[in-house]
């Protein structure tokens, strides 16, 4: 991986802002429809925001001082993988979950413990990058599930643009996962990836705002 430039590191805070805004609108929507799911989504929002911010901070420190702090670098998926799982389950349970005696947090906690445990075991016993790909896969599946659910809810409410933007987000996330290592290999590819991230997360934030506004207006 080439050393990131300072402009690249500073621009990386824009995707952090947009993912934070998008998740904020989703959390506000879920909280109005289901209080328990709202708590779950809020925790997911905090973890996602923290993970993306710490990773971007790592990039800025690396660009300005050439000091590599691995814990900040790895924080992206250490925090955001469980965060996306929490948000995905909160969205699913809000729109599709029927009456159940099981607390809303049980399923996501099991998924996080199993996935995080597998990643931790691989990191401590086998080394290498397998733990990273476990967390990457967990985060990707949760993001795709969330995007599908939000796209369908948007389509049902005749928000065609929002639905298309969520689908666009889904496609880009899937492609980026497939070429994750390649995208980080050169400064040019890093710029391309980051600009695409900024655009897609800006679109995600806008679509989330549209959906949240449409549903909450009907519940007033």
């Amino acid at each position: 991986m080439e050393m990131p430039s300072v402009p690249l590191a500073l621009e990386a805070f824009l995707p952090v802002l947009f993912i934070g805004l998008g998740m904020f609108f989703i959390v506000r929507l879920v909280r109005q429809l289901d209080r328990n799911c709202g708590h779950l989504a809020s925790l997911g929002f905090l973890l996602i925001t923290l993970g993306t911010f710490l990773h971007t901070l790592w990039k800025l420190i690396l660009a300005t001082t050439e000091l590599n702090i691995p814990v900040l670098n790895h924080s992206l998926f250490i925090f955001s993988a469980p965060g996306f799982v929490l948000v995905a389950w909160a969205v699913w349970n809000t729109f599709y979950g029927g009456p159940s005696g099981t607390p809303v947090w049980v399923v996501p906690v099991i998924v996080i413990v199993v996935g995080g445990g597998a990643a931790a075991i691989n990191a401590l016993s086998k080394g290498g990058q397998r733990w990273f790909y476990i967390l990457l896969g967990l985060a990707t599946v949760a993001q795709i599930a969330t995007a599908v659910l939000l796209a369908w809810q948007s389509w049902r409410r005749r928000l065609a643009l929002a639905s298309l933007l969520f689908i666009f987000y889904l496609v880009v996330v899937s492609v980026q996962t497939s070429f994750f290592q390649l995208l980080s290999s050169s400064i040019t590819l890093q710029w391309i990836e980051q600009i695409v991230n900024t655009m897609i997360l800006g679109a995600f934030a806008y679509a989330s705002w549209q959906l949240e506004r449409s549903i909450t207006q009907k519940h007033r």
Side-chain angles (χ1 to χ4, degrees):
M1 173 180 173
E2 287 188 30
M3 187 71 66
S5 63
V6 173
L8 179 71
L10 290 174
E11 199 279 339
F13 283 96
L14 277 178
V16 176
L17 173 63
F18 287 140
I19 189 65
L21 282 174
M23 288 298 165
F24 170 78
F25 292 129
I26 297 304
V27 168
R28 194 164 66 174
L29 168 61
V30 169
R31 188 184 300 163
Q32 292 194 37
L33 299 179
D34 189 305
R35 185 175 179 181
N36 290 329
C37 289
H39 294 321
L40 204 66
S42 296
L43 179 57
F45 160 71
L46 291 175
L47 291 173
I48 293 166
T49 305
L50 179 62
T52 52
F53 175 79
L54 290 178
H55 178 74
T56 305
L57 182 61
W58 162 80
K59 187 177 289 187
L60 180 60
I61 293 173
L62 183 63
T64 54
T65 68
E66 297 187 5
L67 176 63
N68 183 17
I69 306 176
V71 68
L72 293 181
N73 182 21
H74 299 326
S75 64
L76 176 61
F77 290 108
I78 290 175
F79 288 107
S80 63
F84 282 120
V85 170
L86 291 172
V87 171
W89 183 253
V91 172
W92 164 263
N93 209 66
T94 298
F95 291 110
Y96 302 102
S100 173
T102 305
V104 69
W105 52 265
V106 171
V107 171
V109 166
I110 291 174
V111 173
I112 291 168
V113 168
V114 171
I121 291 171
N122 275 274
L124 295 173
S125 63
K126 299 180 180 180
Q129 293 293 309
R130 184 174 295 180
W131 68 270
F132 166 79
Y133 288 108
I134 292 174
L135 294 180
L136 175 62
L138 187 63
T140 302
V141 170
Q143 287 180 84
I144 290 174
T146 302
V148 169
L149 295 171
L150 296 176
W152 176 241
Q153 287 300 317
S154 300
W155 186 260
R156 286 183 58 194
R157 288 164 174 78
R158 298 181 180 179
L159 300 172
L161 177 58
S163 182
L164 289 173
L165 291 177
F166 283 127
I167 292 173
F168 181 43
Y169 169 79
L170 181 159
V171 171
V172 172
V173 166
S174 302
V175 171
Q176 283 183 327
T177 302
S178 302
F179 297 97
F180 190 86
Q181 293 294 339
L182 175 61
L183 290 172
S184 301
S185 61
S186 72
I187 193 69
T188 301
L189 290 176
Q190 287 179 57
W191 267 112
I192 293 173
E193 179 197 16
Q194 222 168 258
I195 290 171
V196 170
N197 264 339
T198 302
M199 293 172 60
I200 190 57
L201 291 175
F204 175 82
Y206 176 77
S208 299
W209 172 74
Q210 263 206 336
L211 179 61
E212 188 266 343
R213 186 182 62 170
S214 173
I215 294 178
T216 53
Q217 283 179 346
K218 293 180 180 179
H219 283 78
R220 287 176 181 173

